[in-house]
Amino acid sequence: MPIVNRFARLLRADLNALVDRIEEPALVAREAVREMEFELAARERRAQALASGDAALVREDAHHADALTRLDSELDSCLAAGAEALARDLVRRKLEHAARRESLRRARERNAAARTTLAAAIDAARAELATLRARLAAHADAAPSSEHVVTAAAPEPGPPSEAEIDIALLREKERRNATGRIPV
């Protein structure tokens, strides 16, 4: 059994090495950026939905506030006329509208809390995305281009040969003669 286990371990190691070579880090990073952009867009759509939902809650609250004002006026008329049965119905309707406004107020508070939490998550996601994009760009800048791939380090130059020294000495003498300085 130990040989089979060792063979299986070698096979897994070879497969893992193959997958590592196939998975190009830049491709994986770009896919992570795309996933983060998709998630950020979904969160931004959710924030827009919360904002439009809040606007709808405000409109509904205004409707109930108008109804309460109208019911107050009608209640004044009923009480002035002594129509207590009608006044009772108006009071019931006023209580329903007031209860609905309270419910809307709580919904708006929950909505505001959700928007605050979501805004913080969006800001964090944007910062993380910007960081990942910067790291990806830095990695792309640091990676050698396919046109200038260096496979081995350039060898260090050795000491100049005697012929190179003689040629350089002749050039120095010519340059100095041309400038009027006499070589030594």
Side-chain angles (χ1 to χ4, degrees), residues 31-166:
E31 180 60 27
V33 166
R34 277 192 293 274
E35 288 173 4
M36 289 178 74
E37 288 171 340
F38 179 76
E39 180 64 30
L40 180 61
R43 286 179 178 173
E44 288 172 340
R45 285 191 302 274
R46 175 71 178 134
Q48 289 173 345
L50 285 173
S52 65
D54 194 51
L57 292 173
V58 168
R59 285 190 304 274
E60 188 177 348
D61 184 59
H63 164 74
H64 290 289
D66 291 343
L68 283 171
T69 302
R70 184 180 38 80
L71 288 171
D72 268 340
S73 174
E74 291 174 1
L75 186 58
D76 287 342
S77 299
C78 287
L79 290 175
E84 201 166 306
L86 285 175
R88 184 175 184 78
D89 183 55
L90 292 174
V91 167
R92 180 188 52 75
R93 289 172 49 199
K94 260 185 79 170
L95 290 173
E96 289 170 354
H97 283 286
R100 182 62 185 146
R101 282 192 79 197
E102 179 59 26
S103 173
L104 290 169
R105 184 192 61 76
R106 286 192 305 271
R108 287 185 66 206
E109 286 176 356
R110 286 190 304 272
N111 194 337
R115 283 192 339 230
T116 301
T117 302
L118 189 56
I122 287 172
D123 290 343
R126 282 182 181 150
E128 187 177 353
L129 183 59
T131 301
L132 186 57
R133 282 179 178 157
R135 285 179 37 204
L136 185 60
H139 178 70
D141 291 343
S145 71
S146 59
E147 298 171 2
H148 302 95
V149 175
V150 177
T151 56
E156 289 291 321
S161 68
E162 291 299 317
E164 290 172 323
I165 293 173
D166 289 341

